[in-house]
Amino acid sequence: MPRARLVLDAAFALAPVPRRLFGSFVEHMGRCVYTGIHEPGHPTADDAGFRGDVLELTRRLAPTVVRYPGGNFVSGYRWEDGIGPVADRPSRLDLAWRSREPNEVGLHEFDSWAREVDTEVMMAVNLGTRGLQEACDLLEYANHPGGTYWSDRRIANGSTDPFGYRLWCLGNEMDGPWQIGHKTAYEYGRLAAETGRAMRLVDPDIELVACGSSHAQMPTFGAWESEVLTQCYDTVDYVSLHVYYSEHDGDTDSYLASAVDMDGFIEAVIATADAVRARGRHTKTIDLSFDEWNVTRPSERGGDDLARQAPWALHPRLGESEYGIVDAVVVGTMLNSLLRHGDRVTVGCQAQLVNVLGLIRSEELGDAWLQTIAYPFEQMRRLARGSILQVVASSDHQDTARFGDVPVVDATATYDAETGTAAVFVANRSRTEAARLEVDCRGLPVGRLTAATVLAVPDGTPVDLTNRDRHDAIVPKPFHGAQLDQQILRADLPPLSWTVFELARPAA
Ligand code: AHR
């Protein structure tokens, strides 16, 4: 039986848990917007056409920030198409996804949906087919109080108060040859610098995200970040990272170790950003915005094939991955990777919210449910409070073809001094063996194990079971196999599982 030992101590706090780490992403792609969040003909739809069942599940997940409107979509998007009376809005070719965009949902609709679910909007501007002027116009429309052309148009369209968006992405994946308006690092870095500088003149309080690499396997990875940040370091606050992991050739063990690769990706981007900082004698530090991350079934990546074969459909099915327990465990470890780097990764968006690689699945005129991968997100978003702890961990290892020897058990923890509560998030990557865990909590003023849940499937369950047919087939269940004794927590973690422990001060 593999073993792991963790030591937790309140004195070793890394950083406050960043509020924006638990975000999501809504793109005009496939069925994320249309028949995802918005379906006027659905029995649960509200007066604005938003699906009530999806609203309810979104409120349950409670993403702290939602990136919008793309993604690759934004690089061909004219934001003005989505304002004014819906009947007057144009239908356009969406070149990114070879679909038809009806523009029934635009800025105002998305803003009211975001208010309904009480989340912050992270807005992206088009730096593919458009540039500085259109970005400033959009910012003026969204954030300027009134008395100017664009802000008065917003008021005329029904929003007297500015939207007040703080967080802005300067384009999307501009390093990718697939991107509409793809640029070299120098071209993009200059454009980001000038666009960002002008946007700050419109609204000095915004925070800006420069595009990093689309993933760490891009041939330009590293050189891209270095050149882009050299051009725009003083203007931007964040550099972005994106990654989607999937299982290749049935190699589940490597897939389960994806977060080891993610740790390396994050650390490489931190090193690159800090090298630019040193070289340029800058004083501020650039944070990381991991604004697209998730797992995907290999056949579903992007859904580009379908869009190529049957182009210009309205909301085609793109990227509709269905997830099982393995995917949920990988997502848990990816959340751990984000949390353990939470001193520098301060924005995170699990992509996408509905249907496209979705945490939520919805069927047209049918029901909506949470996929397995939504549960680790919901738990960590709700329970990671106060400070991130630097966990001293030792674990037995298992060998993988792609990532070498990796720890069988992966864990993070947080401690909230105000409430005296702690949370421990633990994955067991072994597909076959339970793992014996010991958590030394003597450095924390806790004396009670108040809750423990486990996400796993019983022995003999097919490993590809999903929540499609029985929406509660794989959900966190109470975990009875743990004891806290003399501030040492002991548990045998089931194979292929994600377990969450909640601890509190001793009873008075
Ligand atoms: O999330 C799906 C797509 O993946 C996004 O549009 C793009 O930015 C990424 O490549």
PDB file of all heavy atoms in Angstrom, residues 25 27 29 67 70-73 97 172-173 178-179 242 244 292 301-302 351-352 356-357, ligand 1:
ATOM      1  N   PHE A  25     -15.359  30.201 -17.547  1.00  0.00           N
ATOM      2  CA  PHE A  25     -15.186  30.802 -18.867  1.00  0.00           C
ATOM      3  C   PHE A  25     -16.442  30.528 -19.687  1.00  0.00           C
ATOM      4  O   PHE A  25     -16.899  29.381 -19.768  1.00  0.00           O
ATOM      5  CB  PHE A  25     -13.944  30.150 -19.496  1.00  0.00           C
ATOM      6  CG  PHE A  25     -13.617  30.548 -20.904  1.00  0.00           C
ATOM      7  CD1 PHE A  25     -13.859  31.819 -21.389  1.00  0.00           C
ATOM      8  CD2 PHE A  25     -13.014  29.625 -21.758  1.00  0.00           C
ATOM      9  CE1 PHE A  25     -13.515  32.171 -22.686  1.00  0.00           C
ATOM     10  CE2 PHE A  25     -12.660  29.955 -23.051  1.00  0.00           C
ATOM     11  CZ  PHE A  25     -12.921  31.238 -23.519  1.00  0.00           C
ATOM     12  N   GLU A  27     -17.687  31.149 -23.521  1.00  0.00           N
ATOM     13  CA  GLU A  27     -17.307  31.597 -24.862  1.00  0.00           C
ATOM     14  C   GLU A  27     -18.499  31.407 -25.795  1.00  0.00           C
ATOM     15  O   GLU A  27     -19.275  30.458 -25.652  1.00  0.00           O
ATOM     16  CB  GLU A  27     -16.104  30.778 -25.367  1.00  0.00           C
ATOM     17  CG  GLU A  27     -15.747  31.106 -26.818  1.00  0.00           C
ATOM     18  CD  GLU A  27     -14.388  30.569 -27.277  1.00  0.00           C
ATOM     19  OE1 GLU A  27     -13.738  29.828 -26.520  1.00  0.00           O
ATOM     20  OE2 GLU A  27     -13.994  30.908 -28.410  1.00  0.00           O
ATOM     21  N   MET A  29     -19.176  29.729 -28.290  1.00  0.00           N
ATOM     22  CA  MET A  29     -18.622  28.558 -28.976  1.00  0.00           C
ATOM     23  C   MET A  29     -19.570  27.393 -28.729  1.00  0.00           C
ATOM     24  O   MET A  29     -20.003  27.185 -27.582  1.00  0.00           O
ATOM     25  CB  MET A  29     -17.233  28.230 -28.416  1.00  0.00           C
ATOM     26  CG  MET A  29     -16.663  26.929 -28.944  1.00  0.00           C
ATOM     27  SD  MET A  29     -15.062  26.517 -28.211  1.00  0.00           S
ATOM     28  CE  MET A  29     -14.842  24.873 -28.921  1.00  0.00           C
ATOM     29  N   ARG A  67     -14.703  34.598 -17.525  1.00  0.00           N
ATOM     30  CA  ARG A  67     -14.100  35.222 -18.711  1.00  0.00           C
ATOM     31  C   ARG A  67     -15.101  35.158 -19.865  1.00  0.00           C
ATOM     32  O   ARG A  67     -15.809  34.172 -20.043  1.00  0.00           O
ATOM     33  CB  ARG A  67     -12.819  34.454 -19.043  1.00  0.00           C
ATOM     34  CG  ARG A  67     -11.988  35.002 -20.172  1.00  0.00           C
ATOM     35  CD  ARG A  67     -10.619  34.334 -20.141  1.00  0.00           C
ATOM     36  NE  ARG A  67      -9.799  34.682 -21.269  1.00  0.00           N
ATOM     37  CZ  ARG A  67      -9.517  33.851 -22.276  1.00  0.00           C
ATOM     38  NH1 ARG A  67     -10.003  32.610 -22.273  1.00  0.00           N
ATOM     39  NH2 ARG A  67      -8.753  34.245 -23.269  1.00  0.00           N
ATOM     40  N   GLY A  70     -14.640  35.176 -25.393  1.00  0.00           N
ATOM     41  CA  GLY A  70     -13.779  34.142 -25.973  1.00  0.00           C
ATOM     42  C   GLY A  70     -12.402  34.360 -25.412  1.00  0.00           C
ATOM     43  O   GLY A  70     -12.188  35.344 -24.693  1.00  0.00           O
ATOM     44  N   GLY A  71     -11.544  33.442 -25.682  1.00  0.00           N
ATOM     45  CA  GLY A  71     -11.498  32.373 -26.628  1.00  0.00           C
ATOM     46  C   GLY A  71     -11.212  32.856 -28.070  1.00  0.00           C
ATOM     47  O   GLY A  71     -11.129  34.048 -28.372  1.00  0.00           O
ATOM     48  N   ASN A  72     -11.012  31.849 -28.902  1.00  0.00           N
ATOM     49  CA  ASN A  72     -10.743  32.113 -30.304  1.00  0.00           C
ATOM     50  C   ASN A  72     -11.837  32.985 -30.927  1.00  0.00           C
ATOM     51  O   ASN A  72     -11.585  33.751 -31.852  1.00  0.00           O
ATOM     52  CB  ASN A  72     -10.641  30.794 -31.074  1.00  0.00           C
ATOM     53  CG  ASN A  72      -9.465  29.947 -30.606  1.00  0.00           C
ATOM     54  OD1 ASN A  72      -8.557  30.441 -29.938  1.00  0.00           O
ATOM     55  ND2 ASN A  72      -9.467  28.669 -30.948  1.00  0.00           N
ATOM     56  N   PHE A  73     -13.055  32.857 -30.409  1.00  0.00           N
ATOM     57  CA  PHE A  73     -14.180  33.640 -30.943  1.00  0.00           C
ATOM     58  C   PHE A  73     -13.883  35.140 -30.907  1.00  0.00           C
ATOM     59  O   PHE A  73     -14.221  35.882 -31.828  1.00  0.00           O
ATOM     60  CB  PHE A  73     -15.446  33.333 -30.125  1.00  0.00           C
ATOM     61  CG  PHE A  73     -16.605  34.228 -30.427  1.00  0.00           C
ATOM     62  CD1 PHE A  73     -17.387  34.018 -31.559  1.00  0.00           C
ATOM     63  CD2 PHE A  73     -16.921  35.296 -29.588  1.00  0.00           C
ATOM     64  CE1 PHE A  73     -18.464  34.862 -31.843  1.00  0.00           C
ATOM     65  CE2 PHE A  73     -17.989  36.135 -29.864  1.00  0.00           C
ATOM     66  CZ  PHE A  73     -18.761  35.912 -30.998  1.00  0.00           C
ATOM     67  N   TRP A  97     -14.986  29.304 -35.119  1.00  0.00           N
ATOM     68  CA  TRP A  97     -15.644  27.994 -34.930  1.00  0.00           C
ATOM     69  C   TRP A  97     -16.506  27.626 -36.119  1.00  0.00           C
ATOM     70  O   TRP A  97     -17.292  26.679 -36.027  1.00  0.00           O
ATOM     71  CB  TRP A  97     -16.433  27.983 -33.607  1.00  0.00           C
ATOM     72  CG  TRP A  97     -15.509  28.264 -32.458  1.00  0.00           C
ATOM     73  CD1 TRP A  97     -15.499  29.367 -31.662  1.00  0.00           C
ATOM     74  CD2 TRP A  97     -14.409  27.450 -32.038  1.00  0.00           C
ATOM     75  NE1 TRP A  97     -14.470  29.293 -30.768  1.00  0.00           N
ATOM     76  CE2 TRP A  97     -13.779  28.127 -30.971  1.00  0.00           C
ATOM     77  CE3 TRP A  97     -13.890  26.219 -32.447  1.00  0.00           C
ATOM     78  CZ2 TRP A  97     -12.654  27.617 -30.313  1.00  0.00           C
ATOM     79  CZ3 TRP A  97     -12.770  25.706 -31.807  1.00  0.00           C
ATOM     80  CH2 TRP A  97     -12.174  26.407 -30.751  1.00  0.00           C
ATOM     81  N   ASN A 172      -6.581  36.961 -27.307  1.00  0.00           N
ATOM     82  CA  ASN A 172      -6.605  35.553 -26.896  1.00  0.00           C
ATOM     83  C   ASN A 172      -5.616  34.753 -27.730  1.00  0.00           C
ATOM     84  O   ASN A 172      -5.629  34.850 -28.968  1.00  0.00           O
ATOM     85  CB  ASN A 172      -8.014  34.974 -27.104  1.00  0.00           C
ATOM     86  CG  ASN A 172      -8.071  33.485 -26.803  1.00  0.00           C
ATOM     87  OD1 ASN A 172      -7.978  33.086 -25.642  1.00  0.00           O
ATOM     88  ND2 ASN A 172      -8.194  32.662 -27.836  1.00  0.00           N
ATOM     89  N   GLU A 173      -4.778  33.975 -27.072  1.00  0.00           N
ATOM     90  CA  GLU A 173      -3.869  33.013 -27.727  1.00  0.00           C
ATOM     91  C   GLU A 173      -3.272  33.569 -29.024  1.00  0.00           C
ATOM     92  O   GLU A 173      -3.333  32.916 -30.080  1.00  0.00           O
ATOM     93  CB  GLU A 173      -4.602  31.693 -27.997  1.00  0.00           C
ATOM     94  CG  GLU A 173      -4.993  30.969 -26.741  1.00  0.00           C
ATOM     95  CD  GLU A 173      -5.550  29.557 -26.948  1.00  0.00           C
ATOM     96  OE1 GLU A 173      -5.810  29.169 -28.096  1.00  0.00           O
ATOM     97  OE2 GLU A 173      -5.712  28.838 -25.932  1.00  0.00           O
ATOM     98  N   TRP A 178      -3.504  29.207 -35.458  1.00  0.00           N
ATOM     99  CA  TRP A 178      -4.939  29.070 -35.740  1.00  0.00           C
ATOM    100  C   TRP A 178      -5.712  30.343 -35.422  1.00  0.00           C
ATOM    101  O   TRP A 178      -6.859  30.509 -35.815  1.00  0.00           O
ATOM    102  CB  TRP A 178      -5.530  27.926 -34.903  1.00  0.00           C
ATOM    103  CG  TRP A 178      -5.357  28.159 -33.434  1.00  0.00           C
ATOM    104  CD1 TRP A 178      -6.169  28.881 -32.611  1.00  0.00           C
ATOM    105  CD2 TRP A 178      -4.270  27.702 -32.623  1.00  0.00           C
ATOM    106  NE1 TRP A 178      -5.661  28.905 -31.335  1.00  0.00           N
ATOM    107  CE2 TRP A 178      -4.492  28.177 -31.323  1.00  0.00           C
ATOM    108  CE3 TRP A 178      -3.135  26.928 -32.882  1.00  0.00           C
ATOM    109  CZ2 TRP A 178      -3.612  27.923 -30.272  1.00  0.00           C
ATOM    110  CZ3 TRP A 178      -2.271  26.668 -31.842  1.00  0.00           C
ATOM    111  CH2 TRP A 178      -2.514  27.166 -30.555  1.00  0.00           C
ATOM    112  N   GLN A 179      -5.059  31.250 -34.698  1.00  0.00           N
ATOM    113  CA  GLN A 179      -5.786  32.424 -34.214  1.00  0.00           C
ATOM    114  C   GLN A 179      -6.020  33.407 -35.361  1.00  0.00           C
ATOM    115  O   GLN A 179      -5.112  33.687 -36.142  1.00  0.00           O
ATOM    116  CB  GLN A 179      -4.982  33.119 -33.103  1.00  0.00           C
ATOM    117  CG  GLN A 179      -5.796  34.038 -32.232  1.00  0.00           C
ATOM    118  CD  GLN A 179      -6.795  33.266 -31.386  1.00  0.00           C
ATOM    119  OE1 GLN A 179      -7.869  33.754 -31.139  1.00  0.00           O
ATOM    120  NE2 GLN A 179      -6.428  32.060 -30.968  1.00  0.00           N
ATOM    121  N   HIS A 242      -2.642  28.779 -20.689  1.00  0.00           N
ATOM    122  CA  HIS A 242      -3.759  27.892 -21.050  1.00  0.00           C
ATOM    123  C   HIS A 242      -3.254  26.456 -21.109  1.00  0.00           C
ATOM    124  O   HIS A 242      -2.133  26.217 -21.572  1.00  0.00           O
ATOM    125  CB  HIS A 242      -4.319  28.239 -22.443  1.00  0.00           C
ATOM    126  CG  HIS A 242      -5.018  29.563 -22.507  1.00  0.00           C
ATOM    127  ND1 HIS A 242      -5.547  30.066 -23.676  1.00  0.00           N
ATOM    128  CD2 HIS A 242      -5.280  30.499 -21.562  1.00  0.00           C
ATOM    129  CE1 HIS A 242      -6.115  31.240 -23.437  1.00  0.00           C
ATOM    130  NE2 HIS A 242      -5.952  31.531 -22.155  1.00  0.00           N
ATOM    131  N   TYR A 244      -5.037  22.221 -21.695  1.00  0.00           N
ATOM    132  CA  TYR A 244      -6.075  21.173 -21.644  1.00  0.00           C
ATOM    133  C   TYR A 244      -5.354  19.843 -21.698  1.00  0.00           C
ATOM    134  O   TYR A 244      -4.668  19.559 -22.673  1.00  0.00           O
ATOM    135  CB  TYR A 244      -7.035  21.290 -22.828  1.00  0.00           C
ATOM    136  CG  TYR A 244      -7.812  22.594 -22.850  1.00  0.00           C
ATOM    137  CD1 TYR A 244      -7.358  23.690 -23.583  1.00  0.00           C
ATOM    138  CD2 TYR A 244      -8.996  22.716 -22.135  1.00  0.00           C
ATOM    139  CE1 TYR A 244      -8.063  24.884 -23.591  1.00  0.00           C
ATOM    140  CE2 TYR A 244      -9.711  23.907 -22.139  1.00  0.00           C
ATOM    141  CZ  TYR A 244      -9.240  24.992 -22.869  1.00  0.00           C
ATOM    142  OH  TYR A 244      -9.936  26.174 -22.879  1.00  0.00           O
ATOM    143  N   GLU A 292      -7.509  29.682 -18.976  1.00  0.00           N
ATOM    144  CA  GLU A 292      -8.162  28.513 -19.594  1.00  0.00           C
ATOM    145  C   GLU A 292      -7.420  27.282 -19.104  1.00  0.00           C
ATOM    146  O   GLU A 292      -6.228  27.134 -19.368  1.00  0.00           O
ATOM    147  CB  GLU A 292      -8.096  28.543 -21.117  1.00  0.00           C
ATOM    148  CG  GLU A 292      -9.089  29.478 -21.763  1.00  0.00           C
ATOM    149  CD  GLU A 292      -9.098  29.365 -23.278  1.00  0.00           C
ATOM    150  OE1 GLU A 292      -9.022  28.238 -23.816  1.00  0.00           O
ATOM    151  OE2 GLU A 292      -9.162  30.435 -23.921  1.00  0.00           O
ATOM    152  N   ARG A 301     -11.349  17.557 -28.486  1.00  0.00           N
ATOM    153  CA  ARG A 301     -10.569  18.785 -28.350  1.00  0.00           C
ATOM    154  C   ARG A 301     -11.000  19.838 -29.369  1.00  0.00           C
ATOM    155  O   ARG A 301     -10.790  19.696 -30.574  1.00  0.00           O
ATOM    156  CB  ARG A 301      -9.085  18.457 -28.525  1.00  0.00           C
ATOM    157  CG  ARG A 301      -8.180  19.652 -28.409  1.00  0.00           C
ATOM    158  CD  ARG A 301      -8.227  20.226 -26.969  1.00  0.00           C
ATOM    159  NE  ARG A 301      -7.448  21.461 -26.916  1.00  0.00           N
ATOM    160  CZ  ARG A 301      -8.004  22.637 -27.121  1.00  0.00           C
ATOM    161  NH1 ARG A 301      -9.287  22.762 -27.366  1.00  0.00           N
ATOM    162  NH2 ARG A 301      -7.246  23.722 -27.059  1.00  0.00           N
ATOM    163  N   GLY A 302     -11.692  20.854 -28.865  1.00  0.00           N
ATOM    164  CA  GLY A 302     -12.045  21.984 -29.705  1.00  0.00           C
ATOM    165  C   GLY A 302     -13.199  21.708 -30.642  1.00  0.00           C
ATOM    166  O   GLY A 302     -13.859  22.620 -31.108  1.00  0.00           O
ATOM    167  N   ALA A 351     -12.236  25.966 -17.966  1.00  0.00           N
ATOM    168  CA  ALA A 351     -12.933  26.214 -19.228  1.00  0.00           C
ATOM    169  C   ALA A 351     -13.609  24.931 -19.719  1.00  0.00           C
ATOM    170  O   ALA A 351     -12.985  23.884 -19.709  1.00  0.00           O
ATOM    171  CB  ALA A 351     -11.925  26.691 -20.266  1.00  0.00           C
ATOM    172  N   GLN A 352     -14.815  25.097 -20.202  1.00  0.00           N
ATOM    173  CA  GLN A 352     -15.713  26.223 -20.114  1.00  0.00           C
ATOM    174  C   GLN A 352     -16.842  25.850 -19.156  1.00  0.00           C
ATOM    175  O   GLN A 352     -16.939  24.707 -18.743  1.00  0.00           O
ATOM    176  CB  GLN A 352     -16.269  26.559 -21.495  1.00  0.00           C
ATOM    177  CG  GLN A 352     -15.159  26.940 -22.475  1.00  0.00           C
ATOM    178  CD  GLN A 352     -15.673  27.369 -23.841  1.00  0.00           C
ATOM    179  OE1 GLN A 352     -16.851  27.532 -24.072  1.00  0.00           O
ATOM    180  NE2 GLN A 352     -14.751  27.555 -24.784  1.00  0.00           N
ATOM    181  N   VAL A 356     -19.295  23.030 -23.625  1.00  0.00           N
ATOM    182  CA  VAL A 356     -17.990  22.945 -24.281  1.00  0.00           C
ATOM    183  C   VAL A 356     -16.964  22.595 -23.206  1.00  0.00           C
ATOM    184  O   VAL A 356     -16.619  23.443 -22.384  1.00  0.00           O
ATOM    185  CB  VAL A 356     -17.624  24.278 -24.960  1.00  0.00           C
ATOM    186  CG1 VAL A 356     -16.279  24.146 -25.669  1.00  0.00           C
ATOM    187  CG2 VAL A 356     -18.714  24.705 -25.923  1.00  0.00           C
ATOM    188  N   LEU A 357     -16.542  21.342 -23.168  1.00  0.00           N
ATOM    189  CA  LEU A 357     -15.639  20.853 -22.120  1.00  0.00           C
ATOM    190  C   LEU A 357     -16.259  21.102 -20.735  1.00  0.00           C
ATOM    191  O   LEU A 357     -15.548  21.235 -19.741  1.00  0.00           O
ATOM    192  CB  LEU A 357     -14.266  21.564 -22.192  1.00  0.00           C
ATOM    193  CG  LEU A 357     -13.636  21.754 -23.572  1.00  0.00           C
ATOM    194  CD1 LEU A 357     -12.489  22.727 -23.523  1.00  0.00           C
ATOM    195  CD2 LEU A 357     -13.184  20.439 -24.149  1.00  0.00           C
TER     196      LEU A 357
HETATM  197  O1  AHR B   1     -11.898  26.726 -24.805  1.00  0.00           O
HETATM  198  C1  AHR B   1     -11.865  26.358 -26.156  1.00  0.00           C
HETATM  199  C2  AHR B   1     -10.792  27.064 -26.942  1.00  0.00           C
HETATM  200  O2  AHR B   1      -9.540  26.585 -26.537  1.00  0.00           O
HETATM  201  C3  AHR B   1     -10.676  28.566 -26.812  1.00  0.00           C
HETATM  202  O3  AHR B   1     -11.494  29.254 -27.681  1.00  0.00           O
HETATM  203  C4  AHR B   1      -9.248  28.827 -27.136  1.00  0.00           C
HETATM  204  O4  AHR B   1      -8.766  29.992 -26.528  1.00  0.00           O
HETATM  205  C5  AHR B   1      -8.532  27.562 -26.718  1.00  0.00           C
HETATM  206  O5  AHR B   1      -7.642  27.120 -27.664  1.00  0.00           O
END
